[in-house]
């Protein structure tokens, strides 16, 4: 019938939009709108793959090369983002500046931000349940009916239409909507806390990568110093050989140590590229960007731990965003339990509709029965009470499911609490150990420098052998690397302890004033 009515109005199944129809009769308005298709009924274009089975890999061991089609254009992704470079080439970046750069460039911050916005939008969607819904409806048809009558059949045909506005409003649902909104509020809080923790995570990763990168740069400098000492030692041994005061094996040992120093230098330079790639990945930029960074030796070191591990752990349990997020998830599960229990109660709703119904050009045969047209205003109002009395124990099982999820959230919260305490104790012990090792590393470097200077002077005067000289040179190189590692490891340990405490906001970048004797870089 609908297709015949469409044909009567002149509609053709082509690529034309179906317009709204308004019919007037006798000056009366008929609120009739046929289903409005605002976009053209376009025929689909060519499929990307004319043979989808042929486009799949032909063999499990064969590499898929793809199928070039006119409908698909494969474009390469550039290593540089299309926007302007976020790196300021005139700025010397310290750690806070690098963290700012990472928070603006790292896509993980945008991911967590969009997830928080999604939770906010979902909460607003849930709030819509408190408002009524108003729906416009239009219906049209062409009909033809036939009824048997004595001596023949009574046939009527014509068309009719109906346009109306329908109202639906839930008045009481005994806590269902409140529970849904409470759960949405808690999930929004969880998303916001997760967003904060993501900031802290990125700052922590950048700090670790920055310390590692600076340590590698310092090792390059140390390797260059070791190579210079090896070159000088080789030259000194060769000079003694020319004077008959050294043997050829002595020269070969010196050359061997010189080659080893060269190898260590190249190895350190190669590590710089790896460390830079790790740092730029945490920053969210390409490794091809050039960064000017402050020197590791200019970074202040924590002097001492001024708080006990118990106090630090208590602070972490009060402010860790991921723990707050887990607590919000538990509150959301509790709201879901309330909603499941509310399903046992009825719902009271208000409904209604108001519209106009039109019958036009209704003809009957035989002709003696006449023809007619009519236009009537129709309306209804309903107060509905809906109460499910039995549903096969679905609601009871829904409560059990919600309770189980709530208990699981409690267990997850407790597991995270224990994990936080464990991380605090481990980071505290590690930092305390690194503070002590730092002192020994400095003492070791000082002793190695003095030993090498004394051995070199003794060798020049003929009181020490080349083996003793080379041994002192190795010890000095090892002491330099140990000092660099102790500095970087101490900074990383302190950053781990600060990250474990979960300091909020920008203070996380310079956190540690309460935990340590001064603020960390």
């Amino acid at each position: 019938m609908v297709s015949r009515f469409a044909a009567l109005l002149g509609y053709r199944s082509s690529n034309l939009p179906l317009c709204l129809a308004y019919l007037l009769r006798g000056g009366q308005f008929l609120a009739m709108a046929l289903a409005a298709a605002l976009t053209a009924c376009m025929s689909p274009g060519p499929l990307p793959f004319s043979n989808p089975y042929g486009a799949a890999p032909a063999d499990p061991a064969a590499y898929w090369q793809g199928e070039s089609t006119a409908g698909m254009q494969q474009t390469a992704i550039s290593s540089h983002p299309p926007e302007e470079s976020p790196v300021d080439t005139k700025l010397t970046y310290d750690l806070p500046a690098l963290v700012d750069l990472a928070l603006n460039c790292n896509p993980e911050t945008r991911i967590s931000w969009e997830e928080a916005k999604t939770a906010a939008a979902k909460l607003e969607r849930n709030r819509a349940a408190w408002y009524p819904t108003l729906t416009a409806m239009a219906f049209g048809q062409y009909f033809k009916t036939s009824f048997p009558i004595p001596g023949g059949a009574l046939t009527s045909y014509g068309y009719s239409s109906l346009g109306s506005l329908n109202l639906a409003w839930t008045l009481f649902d005994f806590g269902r909507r409140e529970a849904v909104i409470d759960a949405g509020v808690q999930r929004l809080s969880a998303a916001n806390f997760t967003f904060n923790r993501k900031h802290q995570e990125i700052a922590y990763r950048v700090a670790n990568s920055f310390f590692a990168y600076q340590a590698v740069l310092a090792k390059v400098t140390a390797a260059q110093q070791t190579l210079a000492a090896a070159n000088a030692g080789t030259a000194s041994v060769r000079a003694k050989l020319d004077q008959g005061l050294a043997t050829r094996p002595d020269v070969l040992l010196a050359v061997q140590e010189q080659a080893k120093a060269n190898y260590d230098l190249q190895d350190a330079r190669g590590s710089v590229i790896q460390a830079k790639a790790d740092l730029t990945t945490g920053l969210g930029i390409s490794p091809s960007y050039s960064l000017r960074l402050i020197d590791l030796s200019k970074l202040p070191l924590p002097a001492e731990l001024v708080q006990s591990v118990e106090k630090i752990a208590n602070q972490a349990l009060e402010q860790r965003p991921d723990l707050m997020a887990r607590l919000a998830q538990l509150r959301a599960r509790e709201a879901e339990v309330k909603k499941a229990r509310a399903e046992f109660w009825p719902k009271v709703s208000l409904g209604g509709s108001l519209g106009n119904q039109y019958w036009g050009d209704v003809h009957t045969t035989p002709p003696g029965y006449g023809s007619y047209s009519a236009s009537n205003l129709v309306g209804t109002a309903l107060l509905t009470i809906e109460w499910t009395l039995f549903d096969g124990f679905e609601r009871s099982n829904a409560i059990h499911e919600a309770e189980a999820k709530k208990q699981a959230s409690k267990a997850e919260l407790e597991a995270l609490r224990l994990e936080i305490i464990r991380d605090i104790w481990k980071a505290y012990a590690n930092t305390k150990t690194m503070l002590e090792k730092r002192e020994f590393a400095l003492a070791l470097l000082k002793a190695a420098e003095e030993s090498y200077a004394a051995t070199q002077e003794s060798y020049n005067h003929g009181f020490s052998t080349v083996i003793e000289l080379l041994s002192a040179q190795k010890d000095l190189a090892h002491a330099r690397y140990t000092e660099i590692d102790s500095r970087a490891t101490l900074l990383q340990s302190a950053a781990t302890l600060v990250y474990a405490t979960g300091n909020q906001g920008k203070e996380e970048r310079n956190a540690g004033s309460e935990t340590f004797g001064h603020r960390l870089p």
Side-chain angles (χ1 to χ4, degrees):
M1 290 184 179
V2 175
S3 61
R4 294 184 62 184
F5 183 60
L8 180 64
L9 295 179
Y11 172 73
R12 301 180 183 273
S13 57
S14 60
N15 297 334
L16 297 176
L18 182 61
C19 302
L20 297 176
Y22 298 92
L23 300 180
L24 300 177
R25 182 174 180 83
Q28 297 179 352
F29 173 73
L30 176 61
M32 177 238 175
L34 299 175
L38 299 180
T39 56
C41 303
M42 301 299 294
S43 60
L47 296 176
F49 295 103
S50 57
N51 183 11
Y53 296 103
D59 188 86
Y63 189 80
W64 181 69
Q65 299 294 336
E67 180 182 357
S68 59
T69 61
M72 295 182 61
Q73 294 182 355
Q74 298 180 357
T75 57
I77 300 177
S78 173
S79 61
H80 287 278
E83 61 270 10
E84 296 181 359
S85 171
V87 177
D88 187 353
T89 57
K90 299 180 180 179
L91 176 65
T92 300
Y93 284 88
D94 56 3
L95 183 54
L98 286 177
V99 172
D100 283 331
L101 180 63
L103 295 181
N104 285 281
C105 297
N106 197 313
E108 293 184 25
T109 59
R110 294 195 294 275
I111 293 174
S112 58
W113 181 44
E114 295 297 340
E115 288 175 349
K117 291 167 61 178
T118 300
K122 188 172 182 179
L123 174 61
E124 294 304 315
R125 286 183 56 192
N126 294 337
R127 295 185 192 277
W130 286 97
Y131 298 94
T133 58
L134 186 63
T135 306
M137 186 192 72
F139 173 77
Q141 69 171 348
Y142 172 81
F143 64 91
K144 183 176 182 181
T145 58
S146 179
F147 299 96
I149 59 175
L154 175 63
T155 302
S156 63
Y157 60 91
Y159 60 88
S160 66
S161 61
L162 173 66
S164 65
L165 294 175
N166 301 324
L167 174 70
W169 194 357
T170 301
L171 301 180
F172 304 103
D173 60 1
F174 295 91
R176 291 176 177 86
R177 291 173 293 184
E178 291 91 338
V180 171
I181 292 177
D182 288 344
V185 169
Q186 296 300 328
R187 288 197 169 90
L188 175 57
S189 297
N192 291 336
F193 283 123
T194 302
F195 174 75
N196 289 344
R197 189 58 176 172
K198 178 58 67 175
H199 275 224
Q200 297 176 2
E201 178 186 341
I202 291 175
Y204 171 65
R205 295 205 312 255
V206 169
N208 269 342
S209 300
F210 174 68
F211 297 147
Y213 178 65
Q214 288 294 323
V216 172
L217 290 179
K219 286 184 177 181
V220 171
T221 302
Q224 290 173 343
Q225 295 173 348
T226 301
L227 178 60
N231 292 336
T234 302
S236 178
V237 175
R238 288 184 184 276
K240 284 200 170 190
L241 178 64
D242 295 339
Q243 297 174 4
L245 301 176
T247 63
R248 183 163 182 79
D250 293 340
V251 176
L252 294 178
L253 285 175
V255 171
Q256 176 183 336
E257 191 62 27
Q258 184 182 22
K260 175 65 168 55
N262 246 318
Y263 177 86
D264 291 341
L265 176 59
Q266 299 307 318
D267 184 63
R269 287 174 175 171
S271 299
V272 170
I273 300 177
Q274 305 293 333
K276 183 181 179 182
D278 292 337
L279 175 60
T280 53
T281 299
L283 295 175
I285 62 176
S286 171
S288 59
Y289 287 125
S290 298
L291 290 171
R292 297 173 57 186
L293 304 175
I294 64 172
D295 189 78
L296 180 64
S297 60
K298 297 180 181 179
L299 296 178
L301 295 177
E304 60 181 353
L305 289 167
V306 297
Q307 285 185 332
S308 65
V309 63
E310 292 84 1
K311 186 174 182 180
I312 296 175
N314 291 334
Q315 289 177 354
L317 295 178
E318 292 175 358
Q319 64 188 16
R320 274 278 293 258
D322 51 346
L323 186 65
M324 298 299 103
R326 197 66 61 86
L327 180 60
Q329 289 288 356
L330 174 60
R331 298 290 180 260
R333 293 287 173 83
E334 292 174 349
E336 289 177 353
V337 173
K338 293 180 181 179
K339 180 180 181 300
R341 295 185 183 279
E343 292 295 336
F344 278 93
W345 296 95
K347 290 192 296 185
V348 181
S349 303
L350 176 66
S353 64
L354 180 65
N356 192 78
Q357 188 175 20
Y358 177 71
W359 298 80
D361 295 337
V362 180
H363 301 277
T364 57
T365 57
Y369 288 90
S371 62
Y372 65 92
S373 298
S375 178
N376 299 317
L377 184 66
V378 295
T380 59
L382 299 172
L383 183 63
T384 305
I385 300 178
E386 180 183 354
W387 197 347
T388 302
L389 300 179
F390 181 73
D391 57 0
F393 306 104
E394 179 182 357
R395 291 171 293 178
S396 300
N397 291 320
I399 292 177
H400 295 325
E401 179 184 358
E403 288 282 358
K405 289 182 178 180
K406 184 184 75 172
Q407 296 301 324
S409 293
K410 283 185 177 180
E412 291 172 354
L413 181 64
E414 178 63 17
L416 181 58
R417 188 185 70 86
L418 294 175
E419 180 182 342
I420 290 173
I421 296 176
R422 180 204 65 188
D423 292 343
I424 292 291
W425 277 81
K426 290 176 63 176
Y428 187 91
N430 191 34
T431 303
K432 188 174 182 179
T433 301
M434 292 312 304
L435 284 170
E436 297 174 353
K437 291 175 67 174
R438 173 65 182 168
E439 299 299 326
F440 290 109
L442 292 174
L444 176 63
L445 178 59
K446 182 179 180 181
E449 289 174 343
E450 294 176 353
S451 175
Y452 176 74
T455 303
Q456 188 177 33
E457 183 178 359
S458 177
Y459 177 78
N460 292 335
H461 290 83
F463 298 109
S464 298
T465 64
V466 67
I467 295 179
E468 293 173 335
L469 177 63
L470 296 179
S471 178
Q473 182 178 312
K474 291 179 182 179
D475 291 341
L476 178 57
H478 176 71
R480 285 171 178 161
Y481 286 154
T482 302
E483 187 276 332
I484 294 171
D485 286 336
S486 67
R487 173 184 286 271
T489 308
L490 175 57
L491 289 171
Q492 289 175 335
S493 300
T496 301
L497 181 56
V498 172
Y499 175 67
T501 59
N503 287 280
Q504 297 284 342
K506 293 184 178 181
E507 287 76 12
E508 202 277 339
R509 306 168 200 172
N510 287 315
S513 59
E514 296 180 356
T515 304
F516 300 95
H518 58 78
R519 300 177 84 81
L520 292 178

